[in-house]
Amino acid sequence: MVTDEELGLLKMDFLGLRNLTVIEDACRQIRKYKPDFKIDDVDMDDKKVYEMLSLGQTEGVFQLESGGMKKTLIQLKPKNIEDIIAVIALYRPGPMDSIPTYINNSHHPESVHYKDPQLKPILEVTHGCMIYQEQVIQVVRNLAGYSLGRADILRRAMGKKKMDVMQKEREYFVHGKFAEDGTMELPGAVRNGVPEDVANDIFDEMISFASYAFNKSHAAAYAFVTYYTAYLKCHYVKEYMSALLTSVVGKPDK
């Protein structure tokens, strides 16, 4: 992977998800008596689907089958696709520590606290919790004036725990950076009205979080597959479960 990157090549991971086949097989059966049925057209705010998830009835639902995940869903009672995206990103070693806070803040919005008002539009969608890599990029851009490219360099350094790079970037994030000719490359958080101690606190939080942060684009793509499987199980249980069982017919343990 690293060698490929150094050579200027692009590495991609293609996940062969059995669930995409299961969804299509179920839809094919449904279209026998509902010719116009398309999974892309289903209601993403279906109350019955979220009620099913909130009860932990998730056997056969992509990403949500484990006992711990069921417990999380029962406590959270997801209300929309954003909650599913967040749960998929959070339910992994590291981010799991933020699950109780996410659940509490979801049910009690008044308990959400932002270290700086400028964080609200970035973290409001996740009830004040920093969950996604994209949020790190937004924070350094909005608070310190980073370019998209420089923000991504910082995100990568945090993810790979490159302490030397992060310490330099802390200074830039807090106090800004000037080019050799004296022009300002980025203003820094203090010039944008963030107190120095608060800026350092925010940077510390990003460091502790970014080493295991998920990118929202990945979690969102997974969440759509999750929702589609949940919708089919909720409304077309015979077609869905038969497609799911057929997909693992040669694996008795499954």
Side-chain angles (χ1 to χ4, degrees):
M1 174 183 76
V2 176
T3 304
D4 283 350
E5 288 178 353
E6 289 173 349
L7 290 170
L9 300 174
L10 177 65
K11 178 188 78 76
M12 290 185 176
D13 293 344
F14 290 94
L15 305 179
L17 292 182
R18 141 191 337 273
N19 307 79
L20 299 178
T21 303
V22 171
I23 290 168
E24 181 52 35
D25 286 348
C27 290
R28 194 177 295 121
Q29 293 184 63
I30 295 165
R31 281 194 289 269
K32 288 177 182 177
Y33 60 93
K34 280 192 176 180
D36 297 330
F37 181 82
K38 291 180 182 177
I39 195 67
D40 294 337
D41 295 340
V42 301
D43 180 7
M44 298 301 291
D45 295 304
D46 189 290
K47 287 185 178 180
K48 287 186 178 179
V49 173
Y50 289 104
E51 285 171 5
M52 182 185 80
L53 298 181
S54 298
L55 292 170
Q57 296 173 353
T58 54
E59 286 83 359
V61 178
F62 179 58
Q63 291 282 301
L64 304 185
E65 291 188 277
S66 72
M69 184 64 91
K70 289 178 184 178
K71 181 181 177 183
T72 298
L73 292 168
I74 291 168
Q75 292 175 341
L76 174 62
K77 304 202 179 309
K79 299 177 285 295
N80 49 46
I81 193 70
E82 285 286 355
D83 280 338
I84 298 176
I85 297 170
V87 164
I88 288 173
L90 283 168
Y91 198 81
R92 299 176 305 113
M96 291 179 78
D97 295 342
S98 297
I99 289 176
T101 304
Y102 183 87
I103 291 172
N104 177 72
N105 291 357
S106 173
H107 296 310
H108 304 284
E110 70 280 0
S111 65
V112 178
H113 171 71
Y114 300 101
K115 291 180 179 176
D116 186 272
Q118 296 179 72
L119 293 176
K120 183 177 180 180
I122 301 170
L123 303 182
E124 193 169 24
V125 70
T126 48
H127 309 300
C129 300
M130 195 177 291
I131 296 177
Y132 309 119
Q133 292 179 11
E134 287 90 339
Q135 287 175 315
V136 170
I137 290 173
Q138 283 181 286
V139 168
V140 298
R141 278 176 58 72
N142 289 22
L143 271 65
Y146 275 58
S147 67
L148 275 171
R150 188 172 197 96
D152 194 52
I153 290 170
L154 174 59
R155 176 196 65 79
R156 288 164 62 88
M158 286 179 168
K160 295 179 179 178
K161 298 183 180 179
K162 293 183 176 179
M163 296 306 297
D164 55 333
V165 177
M166 283 192 284
Q167 289 313 315
K168 283 182 188 174
E169 292 296 332
R170 177 192 292 275
E171 177 63 24
Y172 302 152
F173 175 78
V174 177
H175 295 115
K177 184 177 188 294
F178 289 88
E180 290 183 6
D181 62 3
T183 59
M184 184 182 293
E185 283 189 25
L186 59 96
V190 171
R191 282 189 185 82
N192 283 336
V194 182
E196 184 175 353
D197 59 334
V198 174
N200 274 300
D201 281 349
I202 292 170
F203 196 87
D204 288 337
E205 185 180 342
M206 289 192 296
I207 286 178
S208 64
F209 146 86
S211 60
Y212 49 68
F214 217 55
N215 53 310
K216 185 176 185 179
S217 52
H218 187 154
Y222 264 27
F224 270 79
V225 178
T226 297
Y227 186 86
Y228 291 158
T229 61
Y231 185 94
L232 290 169
K233 183 184 176 185
C234 183
H235 293 287
Y236 300 96
V237 65
K238 289 184 291 184
E239 291 83 358
Y240 178 66
M241 294 308 289
S242 70
L244 182 61
L245 289 166
T246 299
S247 78
V248 291
V249 72
K251 299 178 180 177
D253 58 319
K254 294 274 187 184

